[in-house]
Amino acid sequence: MQFTTNYGLFIGKNLITLKEVDSTNSYARELLANSGPVPDGTVIMAVTQTGGRGQAGSAWLSEPGKNLTFSMILHCGFLPPPDQFYLSIAVSLGVVDVLKPELGGRASIKWPNDIYSGNQKLGGILIENILSGNRLKSSVIGIGLNVNQLSFPNLGRAVSMRQLKNAVFDLELLLGKLCHSVEIRYLQLKAGHWDRLRHDYHDDLLGYGAPARYSADSEEFEGTIRGVTREGKLLVESAKGTGTYDKKQIRFIF
Ligand code: BTN
């Protein structure tokens, strides 16, 4: 399978298609560490990942040839480390911007950067930053999207675009659209459009402004997401006031 991407200015213009690799994120990191300069926007996509990695040391499982598993290399030295979460905002928005029209609006971001449809997980993003001293040098942005897979044994919450739309999606076309769309959001980030990105992120955030059930400190409660902090922590208002949570501290109860 040889893919090309025909949209956009730089993301996906240098596209490396691999039949099989352990993890496209690991491949991208090795490329950055061991070869000469890697063009900004290089994308590595794999038909099969044998050791796909998810957040918090989890595995990312994907049926060979059915879904999109790829990583983008972005040289985002312009981004001050305290604002790294904005990269996560830009990438997740780039993904939902493509999925919403494909799925009749049924796509959102589950904080911090999971891609959901209703209460089912369509995709995930794993961002790994490469620092030089205390400056950000490059980021490897791994995206796994469930596209044409029809069943997810033992992954209760997973769903694919095909299951939602009862249609088969062209992986190459979708990859091109995603590269282009992430590029648009990344250029907004580069141009310093923080407020716009934050506003759009809140608009697409699952549970934003709507009461729902959460669990934190072994306690279940009703709360309403009011936004995210600059560092990417979640702000949830409840009867006790507004709490600030990191990923390990709070769980959504669906
Ligand atoms: C998550 O846990 O939600 C993040 C999943 C990220 C998976 C993608 S698939 C392509 C890239 N390569 C990896 O090993 N992981 C990411």
Side-chain angles (χ1 to χ4, degrees), residues 160-247:
S160 71
M161 295 173 69
R162 181 170 178 184
Q163 286 174 312
L164 292 172
K165 284 302 279 183
N166 205 15
V168 175
F169 289 83
D170 181 323
L171 293 178
E172 183 172 7
L173 193 63
L174 196 57
L175 177 67
K177 288 182 185 178
L178 288 164
C179 290
H180 181 46
S181 177
V182 170
E183 182 174 299
I184 291 171
R185 292 298 188 171
Y186 183 69
L187 291 176
Q188 287 176 353
L189 178 69
K190 222 168 173 174
H193 296 158
W194 310 97
D195 291 346
R196 162 89 193 266
L197 287 164
R198 202 186 176 77
H199 171 272
D200 292 354
Y201 179 78
H202 287 159
D203 256 7
D204 284 332
L205 196 59
L206 189 66
Y208 183 73
R213 305 284 303 164
Y214 298 91
S215 161
D217 300 325
S218 322
E219 210 183 289
E220 245 187 78
F221 64 97
E222 186 176 276
T224 305
I225 295 179
R226 293 297 180 202
V228 286
T229 65
R230 180 181 176 193
E231 306 77 38
K233 291 189 177 174
L234 189 68
L235 295 167
V236 183
E237 187 185 322
S238 71
K240 285 187 181 168
T242 300
T244 309
Y245 302 93
D246 68 28
K247 185 94 197 291

Side-chain angles (χ1 to χ4, degrees), residues 33-198:
N34 301 324
S35 67
V38 181
D40 201 11
T42 292
V43 170
I44 297 109
M45 82 133 252
V47 176
T48 304
Q49 283 193 134
T50 52
R53 297 190 283 111
Q55 285 156 21
S58 65
W60 183 259
L61 302 172
S62 176
E63 221 176 283
K66 292 280 167 66
N67 304 309
L68 284 175
T69 46
F70 62 102
S71 301
M72 300 171 169
I73 294 174
L74 293 173
H75 300 312
C76 38
F78 65 90
L79 196 62
D83 292 318
Q84 274 173 33
F85 187 66
Y86 275 88
L87 181 62
S88 184
I89 289 184
V91 174
S92 34
L93 276 173
V95 175
V96 286
D97 287 345
V98 171
L99 297 187
K100 281 197 294 185
E102 299 283 354
L103 302 173
R106 289 152 61 207
S108 59
I109 302 163
K110 176 173 170 279
W111 174 81
N113 58 14
D114 282 342
I115 307 300
Y116 265 59
S117 183
N119 59 9
Q120 293 182 292
K121 182 160 170 168
L122 263 175
I125 298 169
L126 178 67
I127 300 183
E128 298 181 298
N129 291 320
I130 288 104
L131 300 168
S132 167
N134 58 359
R135 298 287 309 164
L136 197 58
K137 201 170 154 216
S138 307
S139 283
V140 172
I141 293 145
I143 301 177
L145 188 63
N146 301 328
V147 184
N148 290 323
Q149 188 166 330
L150 275 175
S151 67
F152 295 88
N154 307 322
L155 287 176
R157 209 165 278 294
V159 73
S160 71
M161 295 173 69
R162 181 170 178 184
Q163 286 174 312
L164 292 172
K165 284 302 279 183
N166 205 15
V168 175
F169 289 83
D170 181 323
L171 293 178
E172 183 172 7
L173 193 63
L174 196 57
L175 177 67
K177 288 182 185 178
L178 288 164
C179 290
H180 181 46
S181 177
V182 170
E183 182 174 299
I184 291 171
R185 292 298 188 171
Y186 183 69
L187 291 176
Q188 287 176 353
L189 178 69
K190 222 168 173 174
H193 296 158
W194 310 97
D195 291 346
R196 162 89 193 266
L197 287 164
R198 202 186 176 77

